[in-house]
Amino acid sequence: DDVCIEQVELRDESLLDHARSNNTADGGSQQSSSSNNNKISIRQSQQSALHLQLLRQLLSSESNVPSTPETVFNALSHFSSLSDLTTALDLLAIAVDLERYWIQDVTNGSENYTDFHSRSVTLCQEKMEAVIKEQAEVQHNEEEFVAMQNPYVDLLRNKIQFHTQIMNAYNLLHKFESESYSDVDDEDDMMNDPNTNQDDHGGAAAGAMMGAPRSKWAEEATAWIDTYEITNKEPNIMVQSPPPPSSSNQILSFSKFAKACMLVAATSSSNQNKVESAMDDCRKKKRPKLMIGLCDSTKDRVAVLVHVFKPLKKDIFVFKVVNSVFDNLGITKDYARLQVYFGEWFMTLPAKEAAQSSLFDMWCPILRWLQDMITSAFDEQDKLNKDNETTTQNSTSAQNALLTSASQLQSLQTFCSEADDLPRAFLLAVVCREAVFIATKRPEARTYGKVLSKVAVQPWDTLLRKLRVCLLLSNRLAYEETPLGPCPISVSNIDSQDLFSIFEWVARDELYASHKQDEIVNLEDACRNSFQSFHPSLKEGDVPKRWKALHRPARSKNGSERASRLILSDMENQAGPLLLYFSEFNCPVELAAHRALLLGGKWGQKPASLHLIKDAVSALRVLEAGEATVDERARSIAAAVRMEIWQSRIRPVYRALLFGFHDVPELSEEIFFPLCQDNGWLRGLAKVAADILMLIERTAASTAVVSDSASVHKPNDNDHHHGMMDHVDEEGFAKVNKVAPSDEENDLTTTTPWPPVTQDITLTNLLKRSRPIETSALEIHQGIICAAQFTNDLSTLSLCVPHDVFMHHSLSIKMNNAPSSSTTYQTDFLNRALDKKASMTKGLVDHFDLGNVEKLGRTWGIPPRNIRSRFILAMYRAGKDAMVDELTNASSTGSSAATTTTPSSIHNSNNTLLDTEEFIEQGLEIACMRLQTTILMLKKVKRFRSIIGMLDADTCQFVKEQSEIGIRAQEQRKKEQQEQQHVYYSPEEQRQQSEEDDTTKKQPPSLSATHELIMKLLRMSSSSSGGAAYSEKAQALSVLSGALLNAVLEEEKKKDLMMGNK
């Protein structure tokens, strides 16, 4: 170490020579007394910096400089700067490697590291006194006056005081831990001794774990711990695991303890006034203790607290070691800080160990420590009140003056309300309540009732009931795969009212019972009228029979069995639904809205399960059912929820289908792309999308104006029976009391249940985001969804639609839904879509079947009459005349509501629902093709040849020419259809269409059906100005078809007569 110091001095000389040469080169030979002083100051500062650098190297674990305690102490002895001595003390206190070397050095005997640190503090004290004495001689003043004028003296003085206090605190803790571990080693040796009777030791320990809890609250606390342990054993349960094992199994090192204390001393300002006052006292030689807290880092602080509070886990004779440690730190009277420290330590204990240490033993150190704190706080306040003479006898103000926040452990109340480790928070609250109750008994007797234990524990009773509710919710909803909210469940988080939705939690519980909305509605009605309902947050929930019902398993192996059992009254083996305990949240509108949102969210996680989104639509229909009898609030919520399902679930999928997944970052291409190749999945999704848009259309007007108060239903007094005092039967369930409660009964039972019914945060946000719906945009989207059902490749549809569809809030953007003309892509797509719809139609068709298709055509600039005409013609080409006869008659009369027609009505119609010219022209072509086929078939029969020869030649030639034209057009359509068959038809649909084509070839439409078609065309051409050009041709074809029909009928009569004669 001497060599190192010499090297430092040589480096100092070289630095001074270098500085001197620079000064000579720059300033020449001019020197003054001020420059000499500056040089001396520079040299001293450089020497101080080098000494401090050497100390850092000696204490560093990455340095190659040899280091021993003696070399470190010798390096410290060369320090002359008071500020460097202050820094050096901090470095020595947290020197982990030096302390490890000290522990490993067996030559130290029983000496510990604090002895070495004490020597260092003494050395700093001596150096400080020497500097003060030297400056006093120079200035010819008193030493204390010189010390007060030098800020570095004051700083070092407080630093010495600081390190003295933490050393004293650590020595107490170290002594306890050393003796405690020595006792543990002796016990281990005795347990391992084969001659020792195990029952004398292990049996006694096991017996201590047995026994009954001290109070009813303690009994409930242990029950919740057992319930959570059972829950944790189940697979896939998302509940909090116990805290990891702490480092309390090892003796706390001084460096770790000092580091935790020093951080707050350097950064904390919470006790700045007290620290400044202490510094003033130091100047006056009062030297009170500094207030030293632990660091702001919870992790580092808890690592020390597990050692500081370890005496509370022992017996009643050593628990005061904790107070002695805090007394040396100067924070014995800082009750708020101590309560927070105690709460943080208590949360690190295993649940069973914490319960056994605090709820069963009659001489509980934990309880006793809290009692002493409460008593001390009460005595201080009582003395203060007497000094100020502010107490008045038998007054409420006197009670409030005596019951301070410290005496009621208010900081621990806040800690428990903010804790998300609910079982331990409940356990801690039980211990604190008991401590407050016991500690205030003596002041109650001494003040003759000015301080009431019942009043003192009332906040804790309220908190415990709130924690009971949190435990119920957490335990019941532990099986949910999705998060319950942005933060863990705690009393303070629920009280904030902007983090959670209680309606959502109740809806989650309902969905576990069943996804069938009618069953859920029946469940809500049953719970609304059930006498088993009670509020866990009120005093009525303190009955053991009731709170034990909350611990029953809520999850059976057979979910469907639970759905039926929930409505029944048998609840011996299974907990009832949450609606029994949150009756004020039994609001059908809010619950149905949340069920729809939850089901939509579940489908978003499992998009292959279309039944989930279908169940969400069913929940949306429940909202629709209530709109006729509920006010504007329900309609506004229904509209907002429907829009949310559309915006977040359906819209992104169709945006990706039409324009690619790169435009929809919220969807996973890996998950949705394979589903988009499944035609069955796409058809199911299209039906769901159409249903949602239909529901949005019904409530579009409700999104225009929304009030903030429309987000929650506020039930009146008739919604549930808890406005009056409930009696409890022998089974522990409520019976409605028709009589108002007496004054003795009117205690805490009439308080408002917790949590209160307020504005639902989820629905409120949805209502704020709501925008009015544009009818034009809604029609365009409905048409696209309809068109999507006619194709298997939506990329072809993307060429037909505007690029701004299915964007965010696209339903609120005004769009052109009535263009003057359509594009080629749109016309071709619509024609193929109509052909597919015609080929897939199996039954009678009315005007409702074409509603969405006509709406799509209108948005593309194609009039509905053209669409209806093309569809009916496609049906006639497919030979499905009987399926569209009623639609044709109704359309030809100009009224879509007509189902039957008369000749007079047809002739007087203006034919506004069909494109007359196109329909007659294409219809005559179809009739000619059928007639040509019939003529060719009849020519093969000898007895019909004479009749064929009597037909009008010009008409037959016209039929032949039109038939050839129609056949060429039909072949062209089939060719195009085959090229695009994979786009518009699935493999199953292709097979089905092929079978129908074969059937049509084998069995062409009857001659009577053809004649009826021609007669319809004739009537339409006669009654319409646009069809006059086709009237003559239709007349000729009607004569030709009539002649053929009569001939065939006559031949059939003759054949029947001949068969009858035989």
Side-chain angles (χ1 to χ4, degrees), residues 375-392:
T375 302
S376 177
F378 180 84
D379 292 341
E380 285 185 9
Q381 187 63 32
D382 189 22
K383 181 180 179 181
L384 180 63
N385 291 342
K386 291 180 179 179
D387 293 340
N388 297 332
E389 296 182 355
T390 58
T391 344
T392 57

Side-chain angles (χ1 to χ4, degrees), residues 1-20 43 46-48 50-51 54 78:
D1 55 327
D2 293 335
V3 174
C4 293
I5 298 299
E6 291 176 359
Q7 292 176 352
V8 170
E9 293 176 349
L10 290 175
R11 284 197 295 268
D12 291 345
E13 293 292 342
S14 64
L15 289 173
L16 290 174
D17 293 340
H18 181 68
R20 188 180 299 110
R43 175 170 180 157
Q46 290 175 345
Q47 286 181 345
S48 299
L50 290 173
H51 286 309
L54 175 61
H78 288 82

Side-chain angles (χ1 to χ4, degrees), residues 569-822:
S569 60
D570 183 13
M571 294 174 49
E572 287 297 328
N573 299 321
Q574 194 170 351
L578 288 180
L579 283 174
L580 287 178
Y581 316 119
F582 297 89
S583 59
E584 66 277 8
F585 290 93
N586 196 345
C587 306
V589 174
E590 283 77 5
L591 293 178
H594 279 288
R595 290 198 300 271
L597 295 174
L598 289 170
L599 289 168
K602 289 179 180 291
W603 178 76
Q605 296 177 344
K606 300 178 181 179
S609 304
L610 279 177
H611 67 89
L612 293 174
I613 193 66
K614 292 179 181 178
D615 292 337
V617 174
S618 299
L620 294 178
R621 289 197 179 98
V622 172
L623 289 175
E624 181 185 24
E627 290 178 11
T629 57
V630 186
D631 57 6
E632 181 66 20
R633 172 189 59 86
R635 289 190 292 273
S636 300
I637 291 177
V641 173
R642 290 164 185 170
M643 276 299 299
E644 178 65 17
I645 296 293
W646 167 263
Q647 289 280 10
S648 61
R649 305 303 169 190
I650 305 300
R651 179 201 60 79
V653 179
Y654 278 95
R655 182 71 187 178
L657 287 171
L658 291 174
F659 304 105
F661 284 91
H662 66 279
D663 202 27
V664 191
E666 58 263 39
L667 291 186
S668 172
E669 186 174 359
E670 296 180 359
I671 297 176
F672 279 90
F673 182 77
L675 296 174
C676 295
Q677 310 304 312
D678 185 352
N679 296 321
W681 185 84
L682 286 176
R683 285 195 297 271
L685 181 63
K687 186 178 184 306
V688 171
D691 291 341
I692 293 177
L693 287 178
M694 180 188 65
L695 293 172
I696 291 175
E697 183 179 14
R698 295 178 182 178
T699 55
S702 299
T703 60
V705 179
V706 178
S707 62
D708 293 338
S709 61
S711 61
V712 65
H713 168 60
K714 296 181 180 179
N716 54 34
D717 295 337
N718 297 325
D719 286 345
H720 51 81
H721 63 269
H722 290 285
M724 294 179 292
M725 175 67 179
D726 288 344
H727 285 270
V728 179
D729 60 8
E730 58 184 2
E731 293 297 324
F733 295 111
K735 291 183 178 180
V736 180
N737 185 9
K738 301 297 183 180
V739 183
S742 61
D743 294 337
E744 292 78 12
E745 294 174 332
N746 193 8
D747 187 11
L748 297 177
T749 54
T750 56
T751 58
T752 304
W754 185 88
V757 179
T758 58
Q759 289 189 1
D760 186 84
I761 183 64
T762 302
L763 299 182
T764 300
N765 291 335
L766 289 183
L767 290 173
K768 289 180 179 179
R769 296 199 303 264
S770 295
R771 295 186 179 185
I773 302 298
E774 286 289 341
T775 306
S776 59
L778 184 61
E779 288 185 355
I780 289 177
H781 284 81
Q782 285 178 320
I784 296 173
I785 293 297
C786 176
Q789 302 180 51
F790 300 135
T791 179
N792 296 324
D793 185 5
L794 291 182
S795 60
T796 59
L797 182 59
S798 63
L799 301 174
C800 308
V801 299
H803 195 269
D804 57 350
V805 294
F806 297 101
M807 295 283 287
H808 285 287
H809 304 295
S810 57
L811 291 182
S812 302
I813 302 174
K814 191 172 183 179
M815 298 182 179
N816 183 14
N817 63 335
S820 58
S821 61
S822 60

Side-chain angles (χ1 to χ4, degrees), residues 794-965:
L794 291 182
S795 60
T796 59
L797 182 59
S798 63
L799 301 174
C800 308
V801 299
H803 195 269
D804 57 350
V805 294
F806 297 101
M807 295 283 287
H808 285 287
H809 304 295
S810 57
L811 291 182
S812 302
I813 302 174
K814 191 172 183 179
M815 298 182 179
N816 183 14
N817 63 335
S820 58
S821 61
S822 60
T823 64
T824 304
Y825 292 114
Q826 292 173 340
T827 303
D828 292 344
F829 182 91
L830 197 57
N831 288 336
R832 292 190 178 93
L834 290 173
D835 290 339
K836 178 180 179 180
K837 184 173 180 62
S839 64
M840 295 294 105
T841 301
K842 298 298 183 181
L844 293 177
V845 180
D846 57 20
H847 68 281
F848 295 107
D849 294 330
L850 294 176
N852 288 332
V853 183
E854 292 176 350
K855 189 176 296 184
L856 171 65
R858 184 165 55 251
T859 60
W860 287 356
I862 303 175
R865 62 178 182 274
N866 291 9
I867 295 176
R868 184 168 297 198
S869 299
R870 295 175 188 178
F871 174 73
I872 295 176
L873 290 171
M875 292 290 289
Y876 278 117
R877 289 192 188 98
K880 301 178 180 181
D881 300 31
M883 299 182 186
V884 290
D885 279 342
E886 293 186 3
L887 179 62
T888 305
N889 294 334
S891 301
S892 62
T893 62
S895 174
S896 62
T899 56
T900 60
T901 59
T902 61
S904 60
S905 66
I906 294 177
H907 286 290
N908 295 329
S909 173
N910 57 7
N911 302 324
T912 57
L913 297 182
L914 288 176
D915 187 351
T916 306
E917 294 185 11
E918 180 182 8
F919 187 83
I920 295 176
E921 181 182 2
Q922 297 293 328
L924 290 177
E925 183 180 287
I926 295 171
C928 289
M929 293 175 61
R930 292 183 179 183
L931 288 175
Q932 181 64 16
T933 302
T934 303
I935 291 173
L936 293 177
M937 292 177 61
L938 294 178
K939 283 183 178 181
K940 297 178 182 180
V941 182
K942 184 177 181 180
R943 61 179 178 275
F944 289 117
R945 291 175 184 173
S946 58
I947 299 174
I948 298 298
M950 297 173 62
L951 298 176
D952 184 71
D954 293 337
T955 305
C956 290
Q957 183 63 28
F958 173 76
V959 169
K960 181 178 179 182
E961 292 175 356
Q962 292 296 317
S963 176
E964 291 176 352
I965 294 174

Side-chain angles (χ1 to χ4, degrees), residues 38 123 161 267 319 394 436 455 560 570 652 676 722 730 772 796:
N38 290 336
L123 177 63
Q161 176 71 13
T267 60
F319 80 95
N394 294 328
V436 171
V455 175
S560 60
D570 183 13
C676 295
H722 290 285
E730 58 184 2
T796 59

